[in-house]
Amino acid sequence: MFMSTGFRILNRQRAVSADLVEKFSRLPVANVSDSMHRMTAAGPRLRKMHREGVLAGPALTVKARPGDNLILHKAIDMAQPGDVIVVDAGGDLTNSLMGELMLAYAIRRGVAGFVLNGAIRDADQFIAMNLPVFAAGITHRGPYKDGPGEINVPIALDGMVIHPGDLMLGDSDGVLAVPFEAAEEVYARTAAKQEAETKQMAAIEAGTNDRSWVDAALKRLGCAMPEGS
C-alpha cells in the first residue's frame, strides 16, 4: 500500500495483553497516575460521556482532521474486540466526530470504548448505551466524511503521547495512557500503592493514622511554627 503521510492506514504491531487490561481495570486511574510520577495526563477537557464504568484496553490510535470522521469509521471497522479507539482531532468542538449510530455499531463490534479529542452528539444515547467514552465536548453539528487521517500512528493528547497498543485507562478522574513497555512495572507499583492505601484507610477508620509526617515536612521546608509544635 502506498504510504502517504497524513492519509494512511497502518497495522498495529503490538498491544498490551488482556490479562494486564483486566488487572489494571481494578485500579483507580489516580493511583496509576501517581505510580507514573504524576507526569502524564490527557487534560481536564476529556470528560466521561457515559453513565458509569471504567475504560481499559489497548489503544487503536486515530489522527483525524477536525470535524471529519471518515478515518474514524474505518478504525471502527478495523477494531478488535476490547480495543479502545483513541482519536486526536485537534480538540475542535465545531462538528461532532460520532453519534448514536456509530456508537451502536462500535458496541456491536466489541469496541471497549473511545477517547475523543473532539466532540460527540446524541449525548443522551451515550449515557443510555453506557459504553465508556471520554470526549472534549458535545455539539449537535454533524461531521464531514472527506478525510484525510491516519490509523495506528503515534498521537498526543494535551502532551500525553499514545502509541498503538499502549494501555488506555479512564474513570471519573479522567484518562491516562500507560506505555506498552512500562505496563508491567507500572502495574506492580500501583498494586503496592493500592495495598498501602488500603492499610492507611483502615488506620484512619481505627483512629490510629500517623500524621507526624505533616509537621515534619513543614519544618523541613522552613515553615514558621508555633512553640511546642
Side-chain angles (χ1 to χ4, degrees), residues 159-200:
M160 183 176 76
V161 178
I162 305 155
H163 290 86
D166 285 352
L167 175 65
M168 294 303 301
L169 300 172
D171 63 17
S172 294
D173 286 333
V175 174
L176 178 65
V178 180
F180 173 89
E181 63 275 5
E184 293 278 4
E185 176 190 355
V186 171
Y187 175 76
R189 286 186 194 169
T190 309
K193 178 177 176 59
Q194 187 76 3
E195 182 179 358
E197 288 197 357
T198 299
K199 292 178 179 177
Q200 185 177 0

Side-chain angles (χ1 to χ4, degrees), residues 6 31-32 69 81 85 97 103 113 128-129 131 136 158 207 214 226:
N31 282 359
V32 181
N69 73 359
I85 298 178
L97 294 175
L103 181 63
M129 294 187 191
L131 183 75
D158 202 29
V214 178

